[in-house]
């Protein structure tokens, strides 16, 4: 397709600054554009393609299930849904699962569950405390939950019932808590906010506060879950258990599926309280089972810890070479490089010219979130391309 940019201009909403290339094929850690040019993909479908592109276990599961049963609707269970729910409960601290189609939808469901809990057990409490610089999705309620005014301003008035407070401050949470608070919702590490890692002890303090006040802790692990930061779930690194967790991205490895899971104490939905036509779709659930079984069998979270350290070591070497790099941070295979100037867009574009995809998560920071199966050789290649890009920048 040679005139794809004309088609884009003519037929698509102008709602995002898109890459100047059209990906047409993916395999492992690489994608190819319409001209056959190859790119090392450190974006991975937006932290989604945990097994890389076109992994055979996914292709096989999709093909097999598509011949058996694709869709059956929310008023019946289906076998892949039950099997996936059983597996997720077995490997986590939760008791019940609801499947959605995306991360935002999983978060919406989690908030509805928390509000239901508030109505039934907390004298009608409904308010949810979230943090500044967070990201919870693009629906109206999740835009209100997302503490970044540039996502919110165009859509005022937003749904009420959310308070955005500074991240990494237990005092801010304490000060914002009232008799109307039913839950606190956090990302263990803020992804879209720029890979912001809280102080050791922050999540523990939040957990303690929730216990003291008898309110719920919801962790949005849409980005950090399924091995991304080196454990199956992020909460496992912080010595706490949330009451509710939300997942998406890595759960399906590239197909649209999300989930929220809850402990029994807050599994308070009654028939009719929540639903989704395509959530629990057998085709998506069967594929997610294949992804999860591969992740578990091959101990991908452990591999991510090692690969993540290798990546951070390589990025730190670049930091010691280039004074305009002021910070390298990350956990597992979610990392950011921060600059002393707003050069992230220029870094991204120069990376693309040099055959690599990265994300300009902030004007002064790029983020990498590659497939969890990325090899050390591919990480070496990434560091080599960054080196070439940084040495060519005229700043
Ligand atoms: C932490 C977090 N929550 C929610 C979402 C929204 O997920 P989705 O785009 O699947 O709705 C994202 C997406 O980047 C995310 O990073």
């Amino acid at each position: 397709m040679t005139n794809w940019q004309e088609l884009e201009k003519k037929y698509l909403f102008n709602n995002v600054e898109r890459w100047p290339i059209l990906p047409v094929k993916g395999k492992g850690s690489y994608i190819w554009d319409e001209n056959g040019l190859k790119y090392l993909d450190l974006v991975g479908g937006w932290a989604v393609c945990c097994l890389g592109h076109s992994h055979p276990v996914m292709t096989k599961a999709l093909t097999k299930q598509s011949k058996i049963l694709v869709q059956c609707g929310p008023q019946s269970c289906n076998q892949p849904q039950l099997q996936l729910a059983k597996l997720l409960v077995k490997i986590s601290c939760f008791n019940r699962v609801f499947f959605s189609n995306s991360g935002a939808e999983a978060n919406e469901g989690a908030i509805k569950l928390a509000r239901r809990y508030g109505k039934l057990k907390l004298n009608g409490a409904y308010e949810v405390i979230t943090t500044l610089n967070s990201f919870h999705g693009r629906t109206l309620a999740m835009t209100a939950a997302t503490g970044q005014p540039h996502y919110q301003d165009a859509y005022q008035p937003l749904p009420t019932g959310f308070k955005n407070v500074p991240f990494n401050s237990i005092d801010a949470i304490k000060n914002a808590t009232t008799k109307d608070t039913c839950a606190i919702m956090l990302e263990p590490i803020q992804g879209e906010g720029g890979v912001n890692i809280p102080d050791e002890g922050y999540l523990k303090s939040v957990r303690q506060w929730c216990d003291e006040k008898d309110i719920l802790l919801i962790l949005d692990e849409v980005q950090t879950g399924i091995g991304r930061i080196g454990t199956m779930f992020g909460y496992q690194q912080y010595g706490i258990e949330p009451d509710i967790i939300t997942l998406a991205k890595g759960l399906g490895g590239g197909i649209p599926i999300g989930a929220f899971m809850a402990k029994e104490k807050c599994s308070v939905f009654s028939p009719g309280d929540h639903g989704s036509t395509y959530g629990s779709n057998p085709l998506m659930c069967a594929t997610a089972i294949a992804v999860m079984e591969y992740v578990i069998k091959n101990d991908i979270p452990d591999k991510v810890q090692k690969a993540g350290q290798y990546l951070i070591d390589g990025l730190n070497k670049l930091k010691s070479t280039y004074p305009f790099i002021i910070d390298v941070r990350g956990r597992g295979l979610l990392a950011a490089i921060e600059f002393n100037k707003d050069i992230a867009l220029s870094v991204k574009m120069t990376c693309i010219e040099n055959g690599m995809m990265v994300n300009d998560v902030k004007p002064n920071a790029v983020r990498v979130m590659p497939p969890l199966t990325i090899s050390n050789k591919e990480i070496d290649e990434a560091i080599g391309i960054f080196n070439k890009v940084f040495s060519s920048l005229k700043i």
Side-chain angles (χ1 to χ4, degrees):
M1 196 187 296
T2 49
N3 63 343
W4 68 270
Q5 275 162 321
E6 279 168 33
L7 297 177
E8 176 198 4
K9 263 203 195 92
K10 191 161 174 200
Y11 295 115
L12 298 184
F13 282 106
N14 186 22
N15 61 314
V16 60
E17 285 291 343
R18 297 188 179 87
W19 290 347
I21 67 150
L22 182 71
V24 294
K25 189 177 103 170
K27 186 89 198 137
S29 303
Y30 294 91
I31 52 174
W32 282 261
D33 73 8
E34 80 288 5
N35 298 315
L37 294 174
K38 186 179 175 187
Y39 302 84
L40 181 58
D41 183 9
L42 302 191
V43 177
W46 224 260
V48 166
C49 304
C50 54
L51 308 187
H53 294 280
S54 304
H55 196 285
V57 301
M58 289 182 67
T59 316
K60 196 169 150 203
L62 274 165
T63 312
K64 186 172 166 204
Q65 187 61 37
S66 71
K67 293 178 188 163
I68 302 172
L69 183 67
V70 167
Q71 165 71 7
C72 58
Q75 272 208 321
S76 63
C77 300
N78 64 75
Q79 286 173 328
Q81 170 201 33
L82 293 169
Q83 205 187 326
L84 180 60
K86 186 175 169 200
L87 187 155
L88 287 171
V89 166
K90 187 171 157 219
I91 61 169
S92 73
C93 63
F94 306 99
N95 303 100
R96 291 180 191 274
V97 189
F98 180 93
F99 293 111
S100 64
N101 305 284
S102 68
E105 193 196 335
N107 284 339
E108 288 272 347
I111 298 292
K112 284 173 77 177
L113 185 62
R115 282 198 175 188
R116 206 72 198 93
Y117 182 82
K119 219 168 214 137
L120 294 168
K121 313 264 179 175
L122 302 174
N123 301 314
Y126 62 93
E127 212 160 60
V128 177
I129 299 172
T130 64
T131 59
L132 294 169
N133 266 321
S134 61
F135 186 82
H136 298 294
R138 300 291 202 142
T139 59
L140 273 179
M142 287 313 105
T143 300
T146 291
Q148 301 200 49
H150 72 274
Y151 289 119
Q152 299 177 328
D153 291 346
Y155 300 105
Q156 299 289 358
L158 289 168
T160 53
F162 295 95
K163 272 189 191 163
N164 311 141
V165 305
F167 186 55
N168 201 20
S169 164
I170 181 65
D171 287 342
I173 285 179
K174 287 185 177 174
N175 291 336
T177 306
T178 69
K179 65 173 184 17
D180 292 329
T181 309
C182 69
I184 296 166
M185 180 161 79
L186 302 170
E187 297 158 85
I189 293 175
Q190 291 184 328
E192 303 302 305
V195 189
N196 303 321
I197 303 171
D199 293 340
E200 226 35 67
Y202 173 63
L203 287 175
K204 257 196 184 140
S205 313
V206 180
R207 175 71 270 178
Q208 271 165 11
W209 181 246
C210 288
D211 290 341
E212 215 176 304
K213 292 286 161 188
D214 202 18
I215 55 183
L216 300 177
L217 175 59
I218 306 171
L219 284 191
D220 176 346
E221 295 231 31
V222 165
Q223 188 155 150
T224 52
I226 319 299
R228 171 63 52 189
I229 63 169
T231 41
M232 183 61 82
F233 306 104
Y235 72 80
Q236 292 164 327
Q237 299 187 24
Y238 291 94
I240 57 144
E241 292 183 358
D243 302 296
I244 304 175
I245 192 173
T246 59
L247 301 168
K249 295 191 185 282
L251 177 60
I255 51 99
I257 185 169
F260 61 90
M261 296 198 278
K263 296 222 177 185
E264 198 60 43
K265 95 163 187 189
C266 54
S267 294
V268 291
F269 279 151
S270 300
D273 279 351
H274 193 53
S276 169
T277 297
Y278 300 112
S280 299
N281 169 288
L283 185 62
M284 298 308 130
C285 289
T287 312
I289 291 166
V291 171
M292 290 304 298
E293 283 178 345
Y294 187 95
V295 167
I296 294 165
K297 196 162 152 231
N298 293 281
D299 202 354
I300 295 290
D302 185 59
K303 291 197 168 76
V304 168
Q305 280 186 24
K306 295 182 180 111
Q309 193 53 53
Y310 193 73
L311 172 70
I312 291 287
D313 290 347
L315 295 177
N316 271 324
K317 277 193 199 126
L318 295 173
K319 180 171 174 263
S320 56
T321 311
Y322 297 99
F324 56 82
I325 300 179
I326 55 167
D327 193 26
V328 163
R329 55 181 178 265
R331 182 113 6 134
L333 286 169
L334 179 62
I337 312 170
E338 187 173 326
F339 310 108
N340 64 0
K341 290 192 185 77
D342 288 353
I343 55 167
L345 179 61
S346 149
V347 169
K348 178 181 85 171
M349 298 311 274
T350 318
C351 281
I352 294 175
E353 282 163 25
N354 283 277
M356 184 164 82
M357 311 311 295
V358 299
N359 161 239
D360 51 333
V361 67
K362 291 272 156 187
N364 66 340
V366 294
R367 174 177 50 160
V368 298
M369 40 194 177
L372 304 184
T373 47
I374 191 167
S375 67
N376 283 1
K377 192 163 164 258
E378 289 163 344
I379 292 173
D380 287 341
E381 185 186 344
I383 301 297
I385 296 175
F386 270 132
N387 192 25
K388 195 170 161 202
V389 168
F390 293 149
S391 64
S392 74
L393 288 178
K394 295 190 179 40
I395 51 171

